[in-house]
Amino acid sequence: MNLSFNRVAGLSMKGGRRDNFFFCLLDHHEGSGRWFLKSILHVKDEVRDEDAQDGDEILNQWIDKYNLEHVIIDFPLSKPPCHNCDLKCPGVAKCPVGDVKKVREDIASILEMDRKMEEENPKEYERKRNFEDLTHFDRDTFGKDSNDFMLSKSFKRRLKKGFIPYWNRSLDFWIWCSYHDQLLELFNTTFDSFGNTSLMMLSRFSYMKRHFPQECQFYEGHVNLILLELLKSRIILKKNIVNLTDLDLGVEARLDIVKKIENKLGIFIYDNDLEVIVKNVRAFDSFLLAVCGLQKAKGQARSMPDWTLPHLTNFILPSFDSRA
């Protein structure tokens, strides 16, 4: 197997100021050709735990110890398009930034095509709309991109709401077109780059990054999208994802998901590490981010269009198709 790198870590840092987090390291063993969960680092909050060491210093020591060069995190690495706007900016609705203009033109094109379909044959359009609005238990929602016609009502509302250059990146629009309906159905949420990202966490990471080794490269992943790709590849089941938010079934769901990933991707996990992942949501998220990096190392990740500025976002959308 040709790998672009043989060691990767996942770090889920989303959450409040006092949240604990976990660093999950996967290592490739050349002799057996398998990946191992080599280490899980639990960084406790020094504010609540008097015995806890400084979390930032622990991370630096951990990265140095394992000579890490590839880390996947779950919040934006790039800035919103309007971060360089000057005082002469004409406003959100007329933002002159090139990638913002391109996205808005694409949004207008999709909505215009939908409008023409409705005007040219309103009865047929209404019939299809009524059919789409019905509940179809056998319909494969995950075999259709959001921008495939007919557009769902929620996706049209998302497009009409618009692209906000201090809140969204071009990447957001690309993900909306492929995953908006799927994210809404399974997680009751959509993708917004800075919608649920703490400014404090962004500032903290920016500070921490200055003290990490220069050769350490960071990538952005998204836990819900990783779960969706696992589902679309039939590695996990829909009920696994649904049960994740259940207080009684969450632990069992995480165990089932991790075991299926372990078997499908050939990852070896020690029992004590498995227990940590299953019992701690943040450890589970970090594990999924590390798996995302594993697929990147194997060359199984979707390429991003140039207009999403992949050289800045470093966003990874993994593929789990064995034929990829």
Side-chain angles (χ1 to χ4, degrees):
M1 178 188 299
N2 293 324
L3 298 173
S4 55
F5 46 88
N6 56 16
R7 182 173 290 175
V8 63
L11 173 60
S12 175
M13 291 184 68
K14 277 192 174 179
R17 181 174 65 89
R18 296 185 177 183
D19 275 1
N20 296 335
F21 52 91
F22 293 81
F23 228 178
C24 180
L25 172 65
L26 293 178
D27 194 20
H28 182 256
H29 186 262
E30 294 185 2
S32 64
R34 297 188 64 183
W35 286 82
F36 289 76
L37 201 163
K38 189 176 184 68
S39 173
I40 291 185
L41 173 67
H42 182 193
V43 181
K44 296 182 180 180
D45 173 44
E46 61 270 17
V47 175
R48 290 185 297 178
D49 191 340
E50 295 180 356
D51 297 328
Q53 301 180 48
D54 181 76
D56 299 348
E57 184 61 31
I58 292 176
L59 287 178
N60 288 332
Q61 294 174 1
W62 199 73
I63 288 176
D64 287 337
K65 176 181 178 180
Y66 292 107
N67 194 27
L68 273 177
E69 296 183 359
H70 302 276
V71 180
I72 320 298
I73 59 177
D74 58 352
F75 52 86
L77 289 169
S78 58
K79 296 180 180 180
C82 75
H83 75 282
N84 284 326
C85 277
D86 56 27
L87 295 178
K88 297 181 181 180
C89 176
V92 170
K94 299 180 180 179
C95 182
V97 181
D99 51 320
V100 176
K101 183 178 179 181
K102 196 271 183 201
V103 167
R104 285 182 167 155
E105 288 175 350
D106 288 348
I107 290 176
S109 176
I110 294 174
L111 292 175
E112 176 64 16
M113 189 178 299
D114 182 78
R115 186 191 64 80
K116 286 183 177 179
M117 290 175 60
E118 184 175 10
E119 286 186 350
E120 291 173 358
N121 198 335
K123 290 186 177 181
E124 177 69 10
Y125 183 90
E126 184 179 1
R127 187 187 66 81
K128 289 184 177 180
R129 168 59 63 210
N130 291 336
F131 179 78
E132 287 291 321
D133 289 343
L134 295 174
T135 300
H136 302 276
F137 294 101
D138 60 342
R139 178 163 52 189
D140 182 14
T141 310
F142 309 103
K144 173 182 177 294
D145 288 345
S146 299
N147 63 341
D148 292 339
F149 290 90
M150 150 156 324
L151 304 181
S152 69
K153 287 183 177 179
S154 64
F155 184 57
K156 285 178 66 175
R157 286 194 298 269
R158 171 67 268 184
L159 296 182
K160 289 179 178 179
K161 184 179 178 182
F163 181 90
I164 306 174
Y166 58 77
W167 190 272
N168 304 125
R169 297 172 292 173
S170 301
L171 175 70
D172 295 40
F173 174 65
W174 185 78
I175 292 177
W176 293 342
C177 287
S178 298
Y179 294 96
H180 173 81
D181 292 339
Q182 300 169 18
L183 287 170
L184 199 62
E185 177 180 338
L186 277 181
F187 303 101
N188 197 31
T189 185
T190 186
F191 183 90
D192 284 300
S193 291
F194 300 91
N196 60 349
T197 302
S198 165
L199 179 60
M200 183 282 301
M201 189 59 70
L202 289 175
S203 300
R204 178 183 180 185
F205 179 74
S206 178
Y207 168 80
M208 291 166 56
K209 189 177 179 182
R210 293 201 298 266
H211 301 279
F212 291 154
Q214 291 185 353
E215 61 272 15
C216 190
Q217 187 170 0
F218 290 88
Y219 304 85
E220 179 184 347
H222 193 273
V223 170
N224 289 351
L225 290 176
I226 297 169
L227 289 169
L228 270 175
E229 286 299 320
L230 287 166
L231 175 61
K232 291 167 71 174
S233 299
R234 299 183 179 181
I235 296 176
I236 64 176
L237 301 174
K238 184 176 180 179
K239 71 173 184 178
N240 294 138
I241 297 179
V242 173
N243 290 342
L244 283 176
T245 56
D246 190 292
L247 292 177
D248 297 324
L249 302 176
V251 172
E252 181 181 342
R254 288 192 290 273
L255 176 61
D256 197 21
I257 290 173
V258 174
K259 295 296 289 185
K260 287 176 177 177
I261 293 174
E262 182 182 19
N263 293 332
K264 179 66 176 180
L265 302 184
I267 302 173
F268 179 82
I269 305 176
Y270 291 102
D271 290 341
N272 58 327
D273 291 335
L274 178 62
E275 184 177 359
V276 172
I277 294 174
V278 169
K279 289 185 176 181
N280 297 275
V281 176
R282 301 300 295 275
F284 176 75
D285 289 349
S286 293
F287 171 73
L288 290 179
L289 292 169
V291 169
C292 176
L294 182 156
Q295 294 304 99
K296 171 73 173 178
K298 292 162 60 177
Q300 295 186 11
R302 292 184 62 178
S303 59
M304 303 291 165
D306 291 340
W307 53 267
T308 64
L309 307 179
H311 62 288
L312 296 178
T313 62
N314 260 7
F315 191 87
I316 301 177
L317 187 61
S319 171
F320 296 95
D321 190 337
S322 57
R323 295 169 296 180

